[in-house]
Amino acid sequence: MYQQIENYIRKEIIVSNAEISLILSFFKPLTPNRNEILVTHGQTSQRMFFVGKGCLRIFFINEEGIDSTRYLAFEDNFATALVSFITNEPSFEFIQALEETELLYITQQDFYHLTDTIPAWEKFYRHYLEMAYVNNTKRLMSFVTMDAKERYKLLLSQNPDYVQRLPNKMVASYLNISQETLSRLKSKI
């Protein structure tokens, strides 16, 4: 898994062998149980996760108890409750391991230490933040400008893994539609 994260990092930034060794030395392995909650509402997000195997889901639960999935991180992706990670305030989000998952994590303190120590790591973080902003904005725009069918077709074209690997309940939560609507869409497409 360390080779996996090294490859990912080297695709994003140019680092020396000494710098990558230092970066990787701060990452620790974690193997949560299936459906285990890693961050809960009200807890401060103190870790950034890299998914080596499996899937992490970041979601909210509204006052009626209905969950809404904000982000799904499969292999070779980073994930955290980003607002809490940045602000050091309690999280409104949950992070859950959906499958048998193998992770590497870095603490918030170590992550920011690297941004102060290795200039290229700050560039890596900036790219991460930019992509998070772009992805979140595109998702928000899809809720405003697309109907359920269009969002489902977009998901099938861009992320077919979501539909193939996850239960309908999770896919529906990600698309912000009911399971019944998802079943109807699946039967038509």
Side-chain angles (χ1 to χ4, degrees):
M1 199 165 27
Y2 283 95
Q3 188 61 55
Q4 229 177 316
I5 193 173
E6 179 179 344
N7 293 344
Y8 181 91
I9 291 168
R10 286 188 184 273
K11 278 193 281 185
E12 301 297 327
I13 56 174
I14 298 169
V15 287
S16 69
N17 289 338
E19 288 171 328
I20 196 70
S21 292
L22 179 61
I23 291 167
L24 295 179
S25 73
F26 286 103
F27 282 87
K28 307 293 182 246
L30 179 67
T31 308
N33 295 321
R34 187 171 189 227
N35 294 320
E36 183 177 336
I37 301 292
L38 303 173
V39 174
T40 188
H41 179 275
Q43 181 182 2
T44 303
S45 180
Q46 295 290 314
R47 298 180 290 183
M48 174 80 70
F49 301 100
F50 177 80
V51 182
K53 176 185 170 197
C55 178
L56 291 181
R57 173 173 87 120
I58 300 176
F59 66 100
F60 303 91
I61 298 178
N62 69 16
E63 291 176 5
E64 292 82 37
I66 299 169
D67 67 73
S68 181
T69 301
R70 179 182 67 79
Y71 183 66
L72 295 163
F74 287 92
E75 290 82 5
D76 295 326
N77 278 289
F78 278 87
T80 190
L82 193 56
V83 172
S84 177
F85 188 83
I86 292 170
T87 65
N88 223 12
E89 295 174 354
S91 177
F92 287 96
E93 299 176 308
F94 294 80
I95 300 178
Q96 177 185 31
L98 290 182
E99 303 175 336
E100 287 188 24
T101 303
E102 296 175 5
L103 306 169
L104 291 173
Y105 74 90
I106 185 170
T107 66
Q108 178 203 45
Q109 181 180 355
D110 290 342
F111 188 94
Y112 285 123
H113 169 74
L114 287 175
T115 63
D116 293 337
T117 308
I118 301 174
W121 188 253
E122 189 170 14
K123 183 177 180 182
F124 178 86
Y125 185 39
R126 185 178 69 242
H127 182 261
Y128 175 79
L129 292 173
E130 289 170 349
M131 294 314 300
Y133 178 80
V134 167
N135 290 334
N136 285 335
T137 301
K138 283 182 176 182
R139 274 189 42 80
L140 181 58
M141 284 189 316
S142 76
F143 294 142
V144 174
T145 63
M146 297 177 166
D147 63 22
K149 183 178 181 181
E150 291 169 320
R151 289 197 310 272
Y152 180 65
K153 282 183 166 182
L154 183 65
L155 182 65
L156 283 175
S157 68
Q158 292 182 344
N159 298 299
D161 272 1
Y162 290 22
V163 178
Q164 294 164 0
R165 287 175 59 176
L166 299 176
N168 280 351
K169 178 181 179 181
M170 297 302 161
V171 175
S173 172
Y174 183 75
L175 291 171
N176 199 29
I177 60 177
S178 69
Q179 289 185 66
E180 295 77 18
T181 300
L182 179 60
S183 293
R184 282 194 299 277
L185 290 172
K186 281 184 155 185
S187 68
K188 292 177 184 175
I189 296 176

